[in-house]
Structures are given as C-alpha cells and as structure tokens.
Amino acid sequence: MTIKRMDNVGIVVDDLDAAVAFFTELGMELEGRTPIEGSWAGKVVGIDGMRSEIAMMRIPGAPGRLELATYHSPKSIVPEPAVTPANTLGLHRVMFAVDDIEDTLARLRPHGAELVGEVTRFEDVYLLCYLRGPGGIILALAEELPGAAGRA
C-alpha cells in the first residue's frame, strides 16, 4: 500500500482568530471552521472530554492545507521554554514559497510575525528566512531568485 497524499498539517494555536488572520494575510483562504468534540474526537486524539475548534486554511489554486486548532477543554499545554529554538524535537516548521519575501514580512509583522534570524541568500537560488507567527509557530519563507528555476 502507498500513501495517496498529505492532506494537511495540524497546528495547535492559542488564539484561532489571530492565527486565521495571520495565515489569511500570508495568502491562504479559510476553507471552513467548525467545533470538534464528542467521544469520537477524544478517542482519536487520546484526550477524554476534548472540545476544540478548527479552522481549515488552504492555498488558493494549489494543494496544501493547514488545520489550525484551539483547545477549549482541556486547555492547551504551553511547552517549556514557551518559545522553543529551531533545533527542538518535533514539528520544526512549515515552509511557504512566496513572490516577494520583504513584502510578505511587511504584511505579516502587524500580525505579530518576528524574524527568528535574518533574511539570507542561499547561493543564487533563494532568499530564505524563518519567522515566528501566532503562538510561536515557526514558518519559513522562500523567494526564488530571478533566473534560478531549475538550479535548486
């Protein structure tokens, strides 16, 4: 048996409205938003009495979705340290290809985005950066440099 596709990446956030606004500004679209609760949900995630709400974000005209979730019961657990470094075990980051990295950063900063390091050139192929979004989520942005197609 083979894998058919990757449906989505799930990210737990503390403020679902802020996360939806952030990813909307990035260029994603809200596909839907719904509460998730009941015994079936608790059995899937292994948490009795679980109540949450999810927002499914999609990339217009392309595959790829993010499932943003906030937990109402029990409350989400904050890792220690709350802002983990890039080498922390677990989900590392989600990367998005963008047309203009500086414009994207300028649009995301009012939504709380902060650079982790700095915008850096990888050879003559990409401009790259890591940034923190809502709830400390680490995103990576990649802007393909002119004439770089096929060299990556």
Side-chain angles (χ1 to χ4, degrees):
M1 181 184 277
T2 61
I3 295 174
K4 293 181 182 182
R5 67 182 172 270
M6 185 180 83
D7 284 334
N8 66 65
V9 173
I11 301 173
V12 176
V13 298
D14 58 350
D15 185 336
L16 193 57
D17 293 328
V20 167
F22 180 87
F23 285 103
T24 299
E25 187 62 44
L26 179 62
M28 298 187 86
E29 294 177 347
L30 179 63
E31 187 173 78
R33 192 167 167 164
T34 190
I36 303 292
E37 58 186 292
S39 64
W40 71 270
K43 288 177 182 176
V44 170
V45 298
I47 300 174
D48 291 332
M50 190 251 352
R51 288 187 317 102
S52 68
E53 183 179 2
I54 65 165
M56 193 63 75
M57 306 294 296
R58 68 181 182 86
I59 300 170
R65 290 184 173 88
L66 286 180
E67 180 182 298
L68 304 173
T70 189
Y71 280 79
H72 302 297
S73 175
K75 289 290 183 189
S76 299
I77 297 170
V78 177
E80 289 293 328
V83 177
T84 58
N87 64 341
T88 301
L89 293 175
L91 180 64
H92 180 62
R93 53 110 178 111
V94 178
M95 180 176 268
F96 294 92
V98 298
D99 291 331
D100 183 333
I101 209 166
E102 291 298 337
D103 176 67
T104 303
L105 287 169
R107 290 185 297 105
L108 293 178
R109 282 189 176 108
H111 294 274
E114 297 178 0
L115 280 172
V116 172
E118 56 189 65
V119 177
T120 305
R121 178 183 290 263
F122 170 70
E123 298 178 352
D124 289 327
V125 182
Y126 291 105
L127 290 178
L128 302 168
C129 72
Y130 277 20
L131 61 102
R132 286 197 189 280
I137 299 166
I138 297 178
L139 301 181
L141 301 178
E143 175 187 339
E144 189 172 1
L145 295 171
R151 290 191 308 210

